[in-house]
Amino acid sequence: MAATAAIPRIEEKERFISRPTESGSEISRKIRSQGSVCLRVSGGSMTPWIRSGDLVFVKRFDFERVSAGDVILFERADRFFVHRIIGRGPLMPGGKEQSRLITKGDALDGVDAPVSAEEFLGRATRIHRGHRHIDLQSFTHGLLGRVLAHFSRMSPLLYRPIRFAKHLFPR
């Protein structure tokens, strides 16, 4: 039986994260011990793929098997991030052979600091948006995810003009 837990919805300006809550360590423990978790996310860093208020289902997954295009959950400094992998990063200093994941929010201009295996919690498998269920493991969504990861570094060309126009024409 899959375990689920929800983090209270918290608004963030640019990042697609949750602030630390009492249930934060519970979320990490659940996914590590029971294999899955469900999170309600907020923020705009993964727009339009994942929207504020969506429920994201995450399953524990092998760190070495995730690849560019996958959407993952990781924890850093007691905060949770749901971002897309755009590649594998540099090895650890000192000759250790441990790879890192390079992640980025689809709508953000820059990449995150590389994600280690210790920070990695799992791979997003589904998104629930109202009555709609989006299977991220389907062939179509997997292919689209890889395309987005490939062009992700060019997202500022799209999102900067949109952010600028929003400031010119407020609601």
Side-chain angles (χ1 to χ4, degrees):
M1 173 181 258
T4 61
I7 290 181
R9 185 174 178 192
I10 299 172
E11 295 297 325
E12 287 285 334
K13 191 158 188 153
E14 281 283 284
R15 295 284 178 178
F16 195 75
I17 58 174
S18 65
R19 287 194 186 130
T21 64
E22 289 181 293
S23 63
S25 60
E26 178 184 336
I27 299 289
S28 296
R29 275 194 307 272
K30 255 189 194 193
I31 197 164
R32 291 180 197 278
S33 67
Q34 297 177 10
S36 65
V37 71
C38 175
L39 304 169
R40 180 173 305 279
V41 294
S42 66
S45 70
M46 287 296 289
T47 302
W49 191 271
I50 301 173
R51 300 176 190 160
S52 185
D54 286 351
L55 288 174
V56 175
F57 288 83
V58 178
K59 286 188 177 181
R60 185 176 51 223
F61 201 76
D62 182 18
F63 180 80
E64 295 302 324
R65 290 185 50 217
V66 292
S67 59
D70 289 342
V71 176
I72 64 164
L73 171 69
F74 62 96
E75 183 179 18
R76 178 174 287 155
D78 296 322
R79 296 173 77 159
F80 295 95
F81 296 80
V82 177
H83 282 172
R84 182 177 315 284
I85 298 173
I86 61 171
R88 289 272 174 178
L91 299 176
M92 293 288 294
K96 290 185 182 177
E97 295 292 323
Q98 182 184 23
S99 67
R100 301 281 181 128
L101 302 174
I102 304 301
T103 60
K104 180 180 170 305
D106 291 344
L108 296 178
D109 293 343
V111 298
D112 304 318
V115 177
S116 69
E118 292 78 28
E119 296 170 313
F120 174 77
L121 294 172
R123 183 176 76 167
T125 60
R126 285 183 312 206
I127 301 168
H128 286 230
R129 181 177 299 138
H131 296 291
R132 187 170 175 216
H133 305 284
I134 303 163
D135 179 11
L136 297 179
Q137 296 177 335
S138 72
F139 175 78
T140 306
H141 283 99
L143 182 61
L144 184 55
R146 287 190 293 280
V147 169
L148 287 171
H150 182 73
F151 290 105
S152 188
R153 293 184 194 264
M154 292 186 278
S155 66
L157 299 174
L158 173 66
Y159 287 106
R160 276 190 190 142
I162 291 171
R163 286 192 292 265
F164 180 73
K166 281 177 73 173
H167 292 311
L168 290 178
F169 305 106
R171 293 183 200 193

